[in-house]
Amino acid sequence: MVFYTYVAMDDTDSREGGCTTYLLTRALEICRDSGYSIHFIPGLVRLNPNIPYKTRGNGAVVFCVSRGNTGGLDTFTSGAIGEDLVVSTYSYEKCEEFLDDNDRSLFQKFKRLVDMESSYGHDGTNPGLVVTCDNFGISHYIRAVREVYPLEMAFSTLDEKRNTLYHGLGSMRGLVGCIGALGWCQNYRSMGMDHTYEIISYRKPEFWGKKRDVEPDIVRSLDPELPGTFNNYDFVNDKPLIYPNTPCPVLFGVRGNDYRELSRVRGMLDTEEMERWQIFVSNQGTDDHLVPTPLEEINNYGSVITEGTVQESSFTIKGGHVFLKVADGANSVYAAAFEPTKNFRNIVRALYPGDRVRLYGGVKGDEKEADAPSKGMRPALADGFVKVINLEKLEILQKTTKLTKISNPICPGCKTMMKSIGKGVGYRCRKCHIRSDEEGASYHVFHRVLVEGKTYEVDGVAMRHLSKPLVRIGKENGKKLSEIDFFNN
Ligand code: ATP
């Protein structure tokens, strides 16, 4: 008989350092030393990327453990802590019925871990910890990945559960992430949802904060050697993407569609000695945050897929950020390709008024009245809420033909050039009085690199954790969140 208990943690790190996934591996040590075994792979769950409280990637962690006899279950290695392997079992489906004294004592140990080793005390770090035998429905995840999840709702959700213990510091906002992560991790597999994996390796403490030894050539070779991996290298900007830029304990992280393939990464990268490594299952690269939304219904802090017609050519403001006005009937929105999206900005710049586009991205409007675009600042709308879609992808639905007139029509009678008789009305020969419509003139047709029906994505350096890279299309490990039939689950 196997009894399952889930553990979730969030908001334990700060901008200055720390790392929630590292704290998870410290929690795995506690489990090992307390006679608990790990079920399947710990989860790294990314939540609403537009939320103002996040410091970096808005990631929460969750894992499933059990006490009791797991001897009959198949196992595999999902990580290592120093010389000790993290052995995971394949089974993980059900929670146990109730928390017992062992679970309570485990909770106390995790509580001490969060109190001692989180970055609490730094601005904006409000840790949360949940130990539970209850199932948190998928709706909690959907809310946490797509909307603003109120903190009060997190408290009432936790208080209603009968077999749940929780702890937090500061405002305890991290509890929101814990609930979202539980809602995903407990249900993604039974609901057949798309998911990915990431292997993260960690540095020895003496290296934390020091420069990482980056190996661009080897990282470039990961793509052909491990075809199920993605976002290893930004070939356009010539930058490896697997090393973080922060002083955190992470040495590298490689993402992929198959966790068995990820195990090979350690043998391929010739790095400094790792202190530990762990494979995670994740909602990264799934587009779970994006919701098809008509342009008039776009709300702040949401992430949308919406359609419209380009109203004006793009303009670039100080800092190299490119803005484009797109409308659908009376409703309009600004699509933004910020400077970090690099070459993707050229796609936005190549759009002309009249082009039909589908926009993918997060909405993070300014609530306050901003300066007008003419002043070289962010655009402003009269009602004070500037709807700006921070573009992640853009699809060209229909391209207009951009023409520049080379010359007026030639009169077929006297072979002289006709004169215009008004804008858009046509031409007439002064001598012969023969008329021609607008099409009679000669035009230069602008050739544009944009391809109708094609989707373009931001450069790898600017890709969000949740964004599905185009290379994953067709390689999904399950259904899109929007395809799930929630009523039958
Ligand atoms: P990481 O560095 O681990 O990638 P982060 O530092 O960017 O993540 P957190 O430290 O997890 O982000 O901080 C994000 C905070 O926002 C957490 O307290 C989390 O609980 C909270 N949060 C996450 N999603 C939502 C949401 N949809 N609504 C409200 N609060 C949220």
Side-chain angles (χ1 to χ4, degrees), residues 10-15 18-21 44 46-48 51-60 124-128 143-151 171-178 465:
D10 190 23
D11 209 344
T12 64
D13 55 349
S14 68
R15 204 178 286 279
C19 173
T20 303
T21 62
L44 166 55
R46 301 286 176 180
L47 299 170
N48 190 339
I51 219 74
Y53 318 114
K54 69 166 192 174
T55 45
R56 288 190 295 255
N58 202 3
T125 302
N126 295 292
R143 194 161 203 151
V145 80
R146 293 179 165 180
E147 296 170 29
V148 178
Y149 193 117
L151 185 54
S171 73
M172 306 195 194
R173 189 174 299 283
L175 292 172
V176 171
C178 293
H465 296 294

Side-chain angles (χ1 to χ4, degrees), residues 20-77:
T20 303
T21 62
Y22 185 80
L23 207 65
L24 175 139
T25 70
R26 298 275 295 110
L28 294 185
E29 277 181 78
I30 293 175
C31 292
R32 175 197 62 192
D33 299 342
S34 310
Y36 277 76
S37 41
I38 318 298
H39 286 275
F40 201 55
I41 304 179
L44 166 55
V45 187
R46 301 286 176 180
L47 299 170
N48 190 339
N50 312 311
I51 219 74
Y53 318 114
K54 69 166 192 174
T55 45
R56 288 190 295 255
N58 202 3
V61 295
V62 55
F63 61 95
C64 176
V65 291
S66 75
R67 61 196 154 76
N69 184 10
T70 57
L73 299 174
D74 285 341
T75 60
F76 64 102
T77 302

Side-chain angles (χ1 to χ4, degrees), residues 135-381:
N135 194 301
F136 290 70
I138 195 74
S139 61
H140 293 286
Y141 166 63
I142 295 175
R143 194 161 203 151
V145 80
R146 293 179 165 180
E147 296 170 29
V148 178
Y149 193 117
L151 185 54
E152 308 71 53
M153 187 184 279
F155 286 122
S156 57
T157 301
L158 290 163
D159 290 334
E160 275 165 18
K161 300 284 181 194
R162 293 225 301 258
N163 286 293
T164 295
L165 299 169
Y166 66 91
H167 171 62
L169 296 171
S171 73
M172 306 195 194
R173 189 174 299 283
L175 292 172
V176 171
C178 293
I179 294 174
L182 284 160
W184 184 79
C185 208
Q186 293 179 330
N187 301 294
Y188 78 92
R189 195 165 276 258
S190 60
M191 296 181 89
M193 286 161 61
D194 187 19
H195 55 278
T196 60
Y197 300 91
E198 178 164 359
I199 180 168
I200 303 183
S201 81
Y202 301 90
R203 318 179 80 186
K204 293 190 150 191
E206 57 266 34
F207 289 114
W208 294 3
K210 292 202 180 128
K211 208 168 161 285
R212 291 174 181 86
D213 215 0
V214 175
E215 312 160 298
D217 290 341
I218 303 182
V219 181
R220 263 186 234 118
S221 74
L222 289 178
D223 274 48
E225 295 275 328
L226 304 173
T229 62
F230 54 90
N231 286 11
N232 297 318
Y233 201 85
D234 180 337
F235 288 89
V236 182
N237 298 290
D238 215 10
K239 276 214 161 71
L241 303 175
I242 66 168
Y243 305 100
N245 296 317
T246 50
C248 68
V250 172
L251 179 58
F252 65 78
V254 175
R255 296 166 186 199
N257 295 320
D258 184 347
Y259 66 91
R260 286 159 296 219
E261 192 181 55
L262 288 182
S263 298
R264 290 176 50 204
V265 171
R266 286 176 304 116
M268 291 177 64
L269 293 173
D270 181 22
T271 57
E272 70 192 41
E273 201 185 328
M274 318 169 188
E275 193 225 5
R276 58 185 70 202
W277 61 273
Q278 183 63 51
I279 298 179
F280 294 86
V281 61
S282 182
N283 63 343
Q284 292 173 156
T286 60
D287 272 352
D288 271 2
H289 59 312
L290 296 173
V291 188
T293 310
L295 213 123
E296 75 263 26
E297 286 172 25
I298 288 174
N299 282 319
N300 211 0
Y301 306 127
S303 296
V304 298
I305 304 174
T306 195
E307 286 178 26
T309 304
V310 175
Q311 291 297 288
E312 298 158 10
S313 292
S314 68
F315 58 91
T316 304
I317 66 164
K318 217 168 132 199
H321 313 302
V322 179
F323 287 85
L324 184 76
K325 194 171 183 182
V326 174
D328 186 20
N331 302 288
S332 63
V333 72
Y334 282 96
F338 290 101
E339 191 281 331
T341 64
K342 304 289 177 196
N343 290 280
F344 175 74
R345 291 174 299 168
N346 294 335
I347 302 297
V348 177
R349 286 187 180 117
L351 288 163
Y352 289 142
D355 288 340
R356 286 282 304 167
V357 286
R358 184 172 288 137
L359 310 169
Y360 299 71
V363 185
K364 215 168 166 189
D366 271 338
E367 303 283 3
K368 60 184 185 309
E369 191 117 352
D371 288 295
S374 57
K375 292 186 191 163
M377 305 290 282
R378 285 173 71 111
L381 297 180

